[in-house]
Amino acid sequence: QKEVEQNSGPLSVPEGAIASLNCTYSDRGSQSFFWYRQYSGKSPELIMFIYSNGDKEDGRFTAQLNKASQYVSLLIRDSQPSDSATYLCAVNGEANAGKSTFGDGTTLTVKP
Amino acid sequence: DVKVTQSSRYLVKRTGEKVFLECVQDMDHENMFWYRQDPGLGLRLIYFSYDVKMKEKGDIPEGYSVSREKKERFSLILESASTNQTSMYLCAASVLRETQYFGPGTRLLVL
């Protein structure tokens, strides 16, 4: 079992819809959770981070964390074609502070 | 603004050559990382460093070494390049458990 697993995708949604990206992790001691966006040929860039259970909103993006279920998700509201990218979930465990374990990513396509 | 730079965007080397990939960060961050990214395999950690002169192996260290003589600079060395080391190499920097900031990447082709 991988330490961080994401929906394999690809995920395709129409413009204006909600895109839902999911991630599960195996280390119960994980402390920090991140979503990165990676456009084709570019390096990953941070979208959101979340540390506490519940929801965290930033513009059209909402991160949701449920530590009991070891689950973190990213919702993108009013999806735009510019949101088309690969989204990487990353988790920082307790054992190695600062070292992130990345999921393989979910590729999202938003169709006009 | 945060900045991580890598010495080359594209690099072509021959099998058996020694290859140096340089990464510099201007954020005074303690942690620095080297990853490689291949289609279908995601981001894989090669080495990381928590401080000057400190290094720890990641998931795929074989065939690589690293050097961190100064806090802002983290070098990845391919001792004898092989074709299976053709990949995109990404450097990142972070503080404690915080966000990782990535450089633009070096696309390495080994012939």
Side-chain angles (χ1 to χ4, degrees):
Chain A
Q1 183 191 3
K2 289 186 178 180
E3 293 181 49
V4 177
E5 295 208 43
Q6 298 184 238
N7 304 61
S8 58
L11 176 65
S12 181
V13 300
E15 185 174 355
I18 295 175
S20 177
L21 304 163
N22 303 315
C23 175
T24 58
Y25 59 94
S26 59
D27 181 1
R28 282 199 170 273
S30 297
Q31 303 283 325
S32 312
F33 307 85
F34 305 86
W35 283 100
Y36 293 85
R37 177 177 62 199
Q38 186 174 24
Y39 291 115
S40 180
K42 301 293 186 181
S43 56
E45 57 179 348
L46 180 74
I47 296 294
M48 294 195 69
F49 62 87
I50 186 166
Y51 301 143
S52 305
N53 276 330
D55 294 359
K56 180 181 178 182
E57 189 173 316
D58 183 2
R60 296 185 296 112
F61 298 93
T62 298
Q64 299 175 317
L65 175 61
N66 184 326
K67 288 187 177 180
S69 300
Q70 295 174 245
Y71 175 93
V72 59
S73 66
L74 180 70
L75 299 178
I76 307 174
R77 290 183 300 281
D78 188 23
S79 296
Q80 301 297 310
S82 58
D83 295 326
S84 298
T86 296
Y87 289 81
L88 302 171
C89 172
V91 176
N92 284 19
E94 195 170 27
N96 279 306
K99 174 176 170 286
S100 294
T101 300
F102 286 82
D104 288 344
T106 300
T107 298
L108 171 67
T109 300
V110 181
K111 295 187 174 179
Chain B
D1 203 10
V2 160
K3 192 152 187 174
V4 178
T5 57
Q6 294 183 228
S7 50
S8 305
R9 293 300 302 273
Y10 302 94
L11 211 50
V12 180
K13 296 292 181 181
R14 297 212 172 270
T15 302
E17 279 192 76
K18 191 168 185 176
V19 182
F20 293 87
L21 302 182
E22 301 280 330
C23 175
V24 177
Q25 52 109 348
D26 67 352
M27 301 167 289
D28 202 33
H29 282 10
E30 291 85 6
N31 306 327
M32 296 189 76
F33 308 84
W34 275 107
Y35 298 90
R36 63 177 285 178
Q37 189 173 36
D38 302 286
L41 296 176
L43 269 174
R44 293 183 290 169
L45 181 64
I46 304 171
Y47 268 97
F48 59 105
S49 169
Y50 287 137
D51 204 347
V52 176
K53 298 194 186 293
M54 290 181 63
K55 60 184 179 184
E56 290 196 35
K57 292 179 180 179
D59 301 318
I60 51 164
E62 296 78 19
Y64 303 94
S65 62
V66 290
S67 172
R68 193 169 182 197
E69 296 296 320
K70 294 184 177 182
K71 192 173 186 179
E72 68 270 18
R73 189 179 297 268
F74 192 35
S75 302
L76 179 69
I77 303 152
L78 285 65
E79 296 291 343
S80 177
S82 63
T83 54
N84 62 14
Q85 292 179 310
T86 291
S87 186
M88 168 71 94
Y89 289 87
L90 290 162
C91 175
S94 76
V95 174
L96 297 176
R97 292 192 174 89
E98 302 303 316
T99 304
Q100 291 196 20
Y101 295 94
F102 287 85
T106 296
R107 196 169 290 279
L108 173 67
L109 173 62
V110 182
L111 299 173

